[in-house]
Amino acid sequence: MSKFSQFLKQVLPGPLAGALRDARDWSRRAGDWPMATFHPWRQESIRKLQVLRDQHRGQRCFIIGNGPSLKHTDLSLLKNEFTFGMNRFYLMFPELGFQTSFFVSINDLVAEQCASDFQALNMPKFFSWRARKWLQPDDHLHFLYTTYTGPKFAKNATGRLWESATVTYIALQLAYHLGFQQAILIGVDHNFTTQGKPNTTVVSEGDDPNHFSPAYFGKGFRWQLPDLETSEMGYRFARQAYEKAGRQVLDATVAGKLTIFPRIDYLSLFNR
């Protein structure tokens, strides 16, 4: 919570403080909107996103988190599935022997430090409009208008998408936009060894214990501590949106701590 929000909470009644905070957040978003809508790079991304809409109607996809549970998940079963990789999951590509169908990253610190890796990816890839500071347009790249504030679930990814403090929520909105009937989460452990105030920027002092690889956010990497409460708010929006449309989000994470979505055994999803 920002200092301004804390101040409002202390001196004003709850509803009034919330209204003022929402007005301030809307004002900030309104300043970003023209460039995020009419800039030629965004216009091209909007055109490409419109082409992608509902291309996978009725199909299923796997959204791959980056938790340690991936070390106990047989990812080889995903070779012929539609998959979303996120943030630094590309570190797994050499071991897997295949790439994910789509790739998503929205965090500014990750984009800044991994820009050359992201630029080299050659599948449909999706980044926050803010990442234009580090990334150049290419045939595979889509800039998304994502915001920190203004909670919502976007069924159409050409407009504004709320981040809900997790790239997984953006992937769920993209999967909906693409028409997937079923989105299955794996590696979304929803549990971090490193503790501290949510959204605080820290510098990794050694091997990363929070992800599938110790090099994921390895020594010297700048990253932000998770905000699990805000993430859960978004996940509830996602479940409601999917179920209202007769679609489904399932959680097949091995020993995951997230309780928002129906759980399913990962191996039961495959005919072996």
Side-chain angles (χ1 to χ4, degrees):
M1 183 182 295
S2 69
K3 292 181 179 179
F4 179 78
S5 297
Q6 290 176 331
F7 171 75
L8 290 181
K9 189 174 182 180
Q10 290 171 358
V11 302
L12 295 175
L16 181 56
L20 288 175
R21 183 174 61 250
D22 291 345
R24 181 198 59 154
D25 292 341
W26 179 89
S27 177
R28 287 180 175 177
R29 295 196 302 272
D32 296 333
W33 179 80
M35 283 279 285
T37 304
F38 299 111
H39 190 285
W41 292 3
R42 263 289 288 162
Q43 283 286 295
E44 176 60 13
S45 290
I46 289 171
R47 183 195 66 78
K48 291 192 289 188
L49 285 163
Q50 288 170 336
V51 172
L52 288 174
R53 192 171 190 189
D54 288 332
Q55 280 197 358
H56 295 279
R57 183 180 293 276
Q59 297 174 312
R60 75 176 184 179
C61 67
F62 289 79
I63 296 174
I64 308 172
N66 297 300
S69 66
L70 289 185
K71 294 182 287 188
H72 309 290
T73 306
D74 185 357
L75 299 177
S76 68
L77 297 172
L78 300 178
K79 186 173 183 178
N80 296 314
E81 300 281 350
F82 292 109
T83 50
F84 286 81
M86 300 182 290
N87 288 341
R88 302 203 77 196
F89 184 72
Y90 60 84
L91 296 174
M92 181 77 78
F93 289 171
E95 179 181 338
L96 279 181
F98 61 90
Q99 299 184 352
T100 51
S101 313
F102 309 98
F103 204 87
V104 192
S105 186
I106 56 165
N107 184 276
D108 290 5
L109 291 175
V110 177
E112 179 185 2
Q113 294 170 94
C114 303
S116 60
D117 294 335
F118 287 162
Q119 200 76 67
L121 296 174
N122 60 4
M123 74 287 286
K125 51 192 178 182
F126 305 87
F127 302 101
S128 169
W129 175 235
R130 298 184 304 270
R132 69 190 184 278
K133 291 183 285 187
W134 306 288
L135 298 171
Q136 294 292 309
D138 62 41
D139 291 342
H140 306 288
L141 193 149
H142 304 72
F143 284 115
L144 304 173
Y145 175 29
T146 70
T147 61
Y148 302 129
T149 61
K152 61 179 289 191
F153 182 91
K155 300 176 182 179
N156 185 336
T158 63
R160 182 178 71 84
L161 294 82
W162 180 50
E163 296 183 8
S164 187
T166 173
V167 64
T168 306
Y169 188 62
I170 295 294
L172 283 165
Q173 292 171 90
L174 283 169
Y176 191 103
H177 176 90
L178 291 168
F180 284 106
Q181 178 69 21
Q182 189 178 69
I184 303 163
L185 306 181
I186 62 170
V188 182
D189 292 27
H190 202 61
N191 181 46
F192 285 73
T193 300
T194 305
Q195 300 292 310
K197 183 179 178 182
N199 302 306
T200 300
T201 297
V202 297
V203 179
S204 181
E205 297 181 352
D207 289 349
D208 182 349
N210 303 295
H211 297 93
F212 65 84
S213 167
Y216 187 90
F217 287 160
K219 186 174 182 179
F221 201 98
R222 290 174 292 125
W223 62 290
Q224 289 169 310
L225 297 177
D227 184 348
L228 300 183
E229 182 177 346
T230 300
S231 298
E232 290 179 5
M233 182 191 304
Y235 292 147
R236 291 188 183 94
F237 286 168
R239 177 171 181 170
Q240 182 181 37
Y242 271 77
E243 292 182 351
K244 187 174 182 179
R247 306 191 198 184
Q248 191 175 37
V249 180
L250 297 174
D251 187 354
T253 299
V254 175
K257 302 298 184 183
L258 185 62
T259 60
I260 305 298
F261 303 110
R263 301 276 307 174
I264 191 168
D265 179 72
Y266 175 70
L267 294 178
S268 73
L269 295 165
F270 305 93
N271 295 320
R272 298 189 301 159

